């Protein structure tokens, strides 16, 4: 019966148009490759290998062959990302019981070890057993707490465990009390142990990000609040999510279509553009065009708008498209595929110069997901998103996926061949970016209505 239905489906496609048939066949072929990669080159290497049954939570670091590394400190970001990923795997593969058991390990470690029982909030970095590191002094960030919320909300959605939702609410209210800026809106990133926002002073190095607001914590707070709003329709949460969406879209995104990385409390950009090339190079981590963040944010904004139920939100879609097009025009390797890591608008130049031509793994994953969304939203656009999506998938297959040992390299081998022997996992690298991307692409290739992100005519 299945063979008959597939044959009938292909016959119907042939009656539509040759180009439609060809694209549908391409979509199905890539979907099969993506699904195979998820199951046989990614999650089977991470799980159950990453479960730390002795200490709780997850083993953070793995060598090129997925043997455990020596240093196994635990960071709230990566631990919460594991919890989020496993929660999604619980839903995708309900018959695989160890995903639920593995997720419970992460839930318990977040609550029992990462949460500060004295001051509240999630610590940033612990040792393998869950002790605060002496040189870390229990520092906290909005970014880290955002991922705590993200993982807890996803786990509640997958398991129905009410305690996970209560802890996510607790973290949200902690951010509201300590990190939220009632004067200018948004959230302060760097926080002292008691939640007080860290301030800059005369002794603060110019290269330090202390005291700034930033795009990275803002977009991931948006991401976390969007996940939480799906399981908790709280009016304050909705207001804060809408506020973040507007701040990111209308203030952090610059006129050209890229995100300003760091900003003052009143959202004035932190830029070294007028201080000369040496100052610009010195402060690269604070001030450059990050094409990976731009394409990721386009997706996160559209997802937030959809989950919030905003109608006729044309501006979000228009700005999202502008960001993707800017990244493709200025940060895309048209020859091989892949998004470069950094560009810069030097004074009196109309286009950004590529200042970092490496291609890190997470930017390529996020780019793949966003390109497919763009292809389905704008199928006839001259940017030819689907062709670029196919090129990006080929790039990832050839330069990022380790077909021998599994997992993804930290960066494209076309630019950094030495990464073939680099770590597959560490406190900043889990399966979160690439699993989310491939999971979304697998579902969307088979059903373009997945995510329900659609454009309605303005007429």
């Amino acid at each position: 019966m299945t063979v008959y239905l597939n044959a009938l489906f292909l016959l119907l496609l042939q009656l539509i148009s040759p180009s439609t048939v060809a694209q549908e066949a391409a979509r199905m072929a890539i979907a099969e490759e993506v699904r195979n990669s998820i199951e046989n080159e990614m999650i089977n290497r991470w799980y159950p290998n990453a479960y730390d049954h002795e200490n709780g939570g997850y083993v953070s670091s793995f060598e090129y062959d997925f043997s455990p590394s020596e240093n196994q400190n635990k960071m709230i970001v990566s631990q919460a990302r594991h919890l989020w990923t496993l929660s999604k795997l619980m839903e995708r593969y309900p018959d695989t019981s160890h995903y639920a058991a593995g997720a419970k390990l992460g839930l318990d470690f977040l609550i029992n070890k990462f949460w500060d029982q004295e001051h509240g909030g999630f610590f940033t970095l612990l040792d393998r057993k869950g002790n605060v590191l002496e040189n870390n002094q229990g520092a906290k960030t909005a970014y880290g707490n955002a991922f705590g919320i993200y993982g807890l909300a996803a786990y509640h959605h997958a398991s129905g465990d009410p305690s996970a939702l209560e802890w996510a609410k607790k973290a949200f209210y902690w951010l509201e009390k300590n990190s939220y800026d009632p004067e200018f809106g948004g959230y302060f990133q760097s926080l002292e142990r008691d939640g007080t926002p860290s301030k800059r002073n005369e002794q603060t190095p110019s290269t330090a990000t202390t005291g700034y607001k930033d795009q990275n914590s803002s977009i991931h707070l948006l991401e976390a609040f969007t996940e939480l709003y799906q399981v908790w329709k709280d009016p304050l949460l909705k207001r804060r999510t809408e506020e973040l969406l507007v701040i990111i879209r209308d203030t952090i995104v610059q006129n050209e279509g890229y995100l300003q990385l760091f900003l003052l409390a009143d959202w004035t950009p932190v830029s070294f553009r007028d201080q000369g090339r040496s100052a610009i190079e010195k402060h690269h981590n604070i001030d450059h065009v990050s094409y990976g963040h731009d394409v990721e944010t386009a997706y996160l904004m559209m997802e937030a708008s959809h989950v919030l139920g905003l109608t006729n939100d044309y501006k979000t879609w228009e700005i999202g498209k502008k960001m993707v097009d800017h990244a493709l025009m200025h940060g895309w390797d048209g020859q091989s595929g892949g998004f470069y890591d950094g560009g810069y608008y030097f004074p009196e130049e109309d286009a950004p110069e590529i200042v970092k031509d490496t291609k890190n793994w997470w930017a390529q994953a996020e780019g793949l997901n966003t390109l497919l969304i763009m292809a389905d939203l704008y199928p006839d656009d001259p940017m030819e998103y689907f062709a670029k999506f196919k090129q990006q998938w080929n790039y990832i297959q050839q330069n990022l996926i380790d077909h021998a040992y599994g997992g993804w390299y930290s960066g494209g081998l076309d630019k950094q061949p030495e990464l073939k022997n680099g770590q597959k996992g560490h406190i900043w690298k889990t399966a979160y970016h690439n699993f989310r991307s491939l999971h979304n692409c697998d579902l969307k290739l088979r059903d373009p209505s997945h995510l329900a992100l659609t454009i309605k005519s303005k007429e």
Side-chain angles (χ1 to χ4, degrees), residues 16 24 46 110 150 181 207 328 399 413 440 457:
I16 299 173
E24 187 63 28
W46 281 100
L110 255 65
Y150 190 57
D181 181 357
T207 53
L328 286 172
N399 294 281
L413 297 185
N440 284 347
S457 172

Side-chain angles (χ1 to χ4, degrees), residues 46-188:
W46 281 100
Y47 311 113
N49 288 350
Y51 303 158
D52 189 344
H53 292 287
E54 180 180 356
N55 302 289
Y58 309 104
V59 174
S60 301
S61 302
F62 294 96
E63 298 301 315
Y64 74 96
D65 59 356
F66 271 95
S67 59
S69 303
E70 183 176 349
N71 186 339
Q72 292 296 343
N73 289 336
K74 292 175 177 174
M75 186 184 192
I76 181 61
V77 175
S78 45
Q79 295 292 307
R81 286 174 172 179
H82 277 300
L83 176 58
W84 181 89
T85 303
L86 285 161
S87 299
K88 298 304 177 182
L89 288 171
M90 287 169 62
E91 296 176 329
R92 182 179 171 111
Y93 302 105
D95 295 333
T96 306
S97 60
H98 76 78
Y99 293 138
K104 188 65 165 55
L105 281 173
L107 173 72
D108 292 342
F109 201 81
L110 255 65
I111 293 169
N112 297 326
K113 298 295 184 178
F114 270 103
W115 187 261
D116 184 345
Q117 300 297 328
E118 181 180 356
H119 297 289
F122 289 112
F123 291 121
T124 299
L125 190 65
L126 307 176
D127 67 17
R128 182 169 184 172
K129 296 187 178 196
N131 302 305
V132 175
L133 298 178
E134 290 185 10
N135 60 353
N136 184 252
Q137 299 299 312
K140 301 180 179 117
T141 65
Y143 182 89
N145 278 269
F147 275 102
I149 292 170
Y150 190 57
L152 289 165
Y155 182 74
H156 172 73
H157 187 275
S159 68
D161 185 338
S163 70
L165 179 57
E166 291 308 308
W167 280 101
K169 292 178 183 179
K170 198 171 182 179
F172 170 76
Y173 287 127
W174 188 86
L175 284 171
E176 179 69 17
K177 177 183 177 182
N178 296 285
S179 173
Y180 180 71
D181 181 357
E183 183 176 4
F184 297 108
Y187 295 79
F188 292 104

Side-chain angles (χ1 to χ4, degrees), residues 190-351:
S190 302
L191 308 169
E192 303 298 329
R193 180 170 181 176
D194 64 0
T196 304
S198 304
K199 306 246 182 229
R200 298 183 72 81
N201 55 45
E202 294 180 355
Q203 285 72 47
T204 305
S206 64
T207 53
T209 61
T210 305
Y212 292 146
K213 290 176 180 173
D214 69 292
Q215 60 82 23
N216 205 20
S217 62
S218 298
I219 67 172
H220 288 294
L221 283 160
L222 177 69
E223 170 188 47
F225 291 180
T226 299
E227 188 82 24
L228 182 57
Y229 189 69
Q230 294 180 65
V231 295
W232 182 42
K233 304 300 186 191
D234 178 72
L236 177 61
L237 172 62
K238 184 176 185 180
R239 287 202 304 275
R240 293 293 180 254
T241 309
E242 290 175 337
E243 180 183 300
L244 275 170
L245 173 59
V246 171
I247 288 172
I248 294 165
R249 185 193 67 197
D250 299 352
T251 300
I252 300 181
V253 176
Q254 303 300 290
N255 291 334
E256 295 86 349
Y258 69 93
L259 291 157
Q260 187 70 38
L261 298 190
F262 289 89
L263 309 99
L264 301 180
D266 64 358
W267 301 108
T268 300
V270 176
S271 175
F272 298 84
R273 189 176 182 186
D274 297 328
Q275 297 186 26
R277 186 174 284 263
S278 61
I280 291 169
E281 292 174 350
K282 177 181 177 181
H283 299 93
H284 172 82
N285 288 339
I286 293 178
D287 183 26
H288 68 272
V289 179
S290 176
Y291 300 109
H293 284 114
D294 294 341
V295 294
E296 178 183 20
T297 300
Y299 159 64
L300 294 177
M301 291 195 310
M302 290 187 290
E303 180 190 44
S305 178
H306 166 68
V307 169
L308 288 167
L310 303 182
T311 57
N312 303 320
D313 186 16
Y314 302 112
K315 189 171 186 180
T316 294
W317 265 255
E318 289 168 358
I319 296 299
K321 185 179 189 304
K322 185 177 184 179
M323 296 172 77
V324 176
D325 290 352
H326 179 272
L328 286 172
M329 288 186 289
H330 302 297
W332 170 256
D333 184 343
Q335 185 70 29
S336 304
F339 291 95
Y340 295 121
D341 284 340
Y344 200 86
Y345 274 97
F346 287 96
E348 300 179 4
E349 295 294 333
D350 295 330

